[in-house]
Amino acid sequence: MNFNEELKELVVYEAGKPIELLVREFGISPEEIIKLGSNENPYGCSPSVIEAIRTNAKMANFYPDDSMFELKERLANKYCLDLKNIIIGSGSDQIIEFCIRAKCNQKSRILMAKTTFAMYEIYARQIGAEIIKTPSHHHDILEFKQMYSEYKPDIVFLCIPNNPLGECLEKSDVFEFISQTHPDTLVIIDGAYQEFAFAKNKNKGIDPKELLTRFENVIYLGTFSKAYGLGGMRIGYGLAPAFIINALNKIRPPFNISILSLFAAIEALKDEDFVQVCIQKTIKEMLRYESFAHQYDISFIPSWGNFITYTFDNKYSSTELSNWLLKKGAIIRDLKSYGINAVRITIGRMEQNNKLFALLKDFFSQK
Ligand SMILES: *Cc1c(COP(=O)(O)O)cnc(C)c1O
């Protein structure tokens, strides 16, 4: 059977490994497994969110409110925007897909950093758009400017902070870059880890209100999967001028969010304290990952997210380490598929991190 030509070049996205895999393959019991491979919130989500999911479970027979009024209203309040500036997606992942499908065809070009969130490239390839990557792995704003004027892309992705490397462009550089783009270029600001960056340094924070006030050709993506601890509920959002949201709504299927996910996200926005406490703990634990790296002479990329990337040069193999850890019940992310010998580790709870440090020590001392 023949499929769409574009699929020939595509490989299936390798998602972060689940706990179930280690239970099945190595017989490790679930409570012993430390899952630090998918940048989830290791502290869970707000207790009031769990309560809201429980109380609303009896609504499961109903389709959700497709206008998503209540969630949009809460987001509008949080960001001082109008409801017409908001679209909700099954993860912000789905909004990336809406943007590419709304804007691109086989003649389109999409500019991104060499090493960034893999889904940009996957959705771009599905459409058959041309992918243009900057030479450096990380976001280099000068390279973005040069490549932008050379290739005149239809979409530019800026992942701020960047997953999987952790670096984060300065707001002033981002704004200056956008100001030099053509009104017909859609600049996508992926803010999946903005909460963490903003808590560390206000200059790294992008205020969506300011972004939308200054520019017409931008969309800001946020998610409940990381700081808010709702990865399993699949819910994210896009904030953009109304004419962009209108276009995306033509792509959005009805009821793209489950009714329980909507209740969960609404409740999560009422408990920002929970989020702030998690962020502070993460920042504190991150320092221990930096000291650990210094102690064992491992290079790392200073991170603005909830994860840290250790790079090994030729010292260790990221794949060998990741596979060895799996058998010991620890899941981290091997970045081999991105073409770098490095691992990305989600900053866990203190006791999870202690366990991982002990395992890493074992591994390094065997080498
Ligand atoms: C996790 C992540 C997302 C979106 O995740 P969803 O669960 O689909 O909301 C988007 N961009 C980046 C860079 C991410 O790391």
Side-chain angles (χ1 to χ4, degrees):
M1 187 185 293
N2 289 316
F3 293 98
N4 192 327
E5 276 291 306
E6 313 299 347
L7 298 193
K8 283 199 179 134
E9 299 291 308
L10 261 178
V11 290
V12 176
Y13 178 71
E14 192 199 332
K17 295 197 164 48
I19 287 174
E20 291 79 354
L21 177 94
L22 276 66
V23 175
R24 255 190 341 259
E25 293 212 348
F26 308 118
I28 305 171
S29 65
E31 56 282 359
E32 278 176 38
I33 294 167
I34 49 173
K35 186 170 191 289
L36 303 175
S38 297
N39 297 345
E40 294 143 324
N41 186 334
Y43 306 98
C45 63
S46 161
S48 60
V49 169
I50 296 172
E51 196 48 44
I53 295 171
R54 228 180 240 129
T55 24
N56 288 294
K58 58 181 179 296
M59 307 280 282
N61 58 316
F62 293 117
Y63 283 112
D65 166 11
D66 193 54
S67 76
M68 306 183 203
F69 178 84
E70 203 181 339
L71 177 57
K72 283 186 190 169
E73 195 175 50
R74 292 219 164 251
L75 286 168
N77 279 334
K78 177 179 160 87
Y79 290 114
C80 301
L81 293 167
D82 285 336
L83 269 62
K84 62 178 196 302
N85 299 123
I86 304 172
I87 184 166
I88 309 293
S90 174
S92 58
D93 220 301
Q94 192 180 36
I95 315 226
I96 296 168
E97 182 186 10
F98 293 166
C99 289
I100 291 179
R101 288 182 54 205
K103 181 87 181 111
C104 296
N105 57 36
Q106 290 184 334
K107 296 193 196 85
S108 305
R109 289 172 171 166
I110 303 184
L111 175 63
M112 64 188 78
K114 183 170 174 184
T115 299
T116 189
F117 192 46
M119 294 313 297
Y120 308 154
E121 178 165 351
I122 291 175
Y123 289 127
R125 281 176 179 253
Q126 289 174 357
I127 293 281
E130 186 184 350
I131 296 151
I132 299 169
K133 293 183 178 179
T134 59
S136 299
H137 282 286
H138 64 278
H139 288 66
D140 177 320
I141 206 72
L142 288 177
E143 289 179 4
F144 268 89
K145 285 182 186 169
Q146 282 158 8
M147 310 267 308
Y148 180 80
S149 49
E150 187 176 343
Y151 291 98
K152 309 204 164 32
D154 301 272
I155 287 184
V156 181
F157 278 103
L158 296 176
C159 191
I160 319 173
N162 185 25
N163 175 16
L165 299 184
E167 92 281 2
C168 186
L169 286 171
E170 291 285 330
K171 176 183 127 178
S172 53
D173 287 338
V174 174
F175 278 26
E176 202 217 347
F177 171 75
I178 303 171
S179 71
Q180 295 171 11
T181 57
H182 189 273
D184 196 40
T185 303
L186 178 61
V187 180
I188 302 180
I189 305 289
D190 188 337
Y193 302 95
Q194 267 289 311
E195 291 89 351
F196 297 95
F198 184 75
K200 270 192 170 175
N201 182 339
K202 307 276 175 284
N203 293 331
K204 299 285 187 179
I206 304 272
D207 172 20
K209 170 77 175 175
E210 190 184 354
L211 185 71
L212 300 200
T213 306
R214 292 194 41 185
F215 307 107
E216 285 266 276
N217 60 325
V218 292
I219 182 164
Y220 175 97
L221 306 184
T223 180
F224 287 93
S225 299
K226 308 288 159 57
Y228 287 86
L230 293 178
M233 299 307 282
R234 311 302 307 121
I235 189 149
Y237 52 91
L239 310 173
F243 75 93
I244 293 178
I245 298 295
N246 289 344
L248 302 184
N249 267 325
K250 294 180 184 178
I251 309 281
R252 184 182 71 84
F255 312 125
N256 59 323
I257 305 300
S258 90
I259 196 164
L260 293 181
S261 303
L262 279 177
F263 282 117
I266 290 163
E267 203 57 39
L269 287 174
K270 297 181 193 166
D271 192 0
E272 296 279 359
D273 286 350
F274 172 83
V275 177
Q276 288 312 315
V277 169
C278 295
I279 292 173
Q280 289 312 321
K281 286 182 187 162
T282 299
I283 291 174
K284 209 166 141 208
E285 288 297 303
M286 174 96 73
L287 294 174
R288 297 179 62 222
Y289 275 90
E290 293 176 358
S291 318
F292 183 86
H294 286 306
Q295 201 180 333
Y296 288 86
D297 205 20
I298 294 159
S299 311
F300 66 90
I301 305 171
S303 168
W304 297 87
N306 63 347
F307 55 88
I308 191 163
T309 297
Y310 281 178
T311 59
F312 296 137
D313 306 314
N314 292 323
K315 226 158 141 191
Y316 309 107
S317 148
S318 62
T319 307
E320 197 186 330
L321 170 62
S322 309
N323 290 338
W324 184 84
L325 284 173
L326 274 187
K327 293 185 197 124
K328 307 275 176 185
I331 308 170
I332 62 170
R333 192 76 151 109
D334 178 14
L335 298 183
K336 189 66 187 295
S337 62
Y338 290 84
I340 46 178
N341 185 25
V343 293
R344 188 196 67 196
I345 306 168
T346 305
I347 309 299
R349 299 191 305 273
M350 188 200 282
E351 68 276 15
Q352 296 178 304
N353 302 331
N354 291 343
K355 228 166 140 178
L356 188 70
F357 291 146
L359 288 169
L360 289 173
K361 251 182 236 177
D362 275 359
F363 182 84
F364 296 148
S365 61
Q366 286 169 24
K367 296 282 136 183

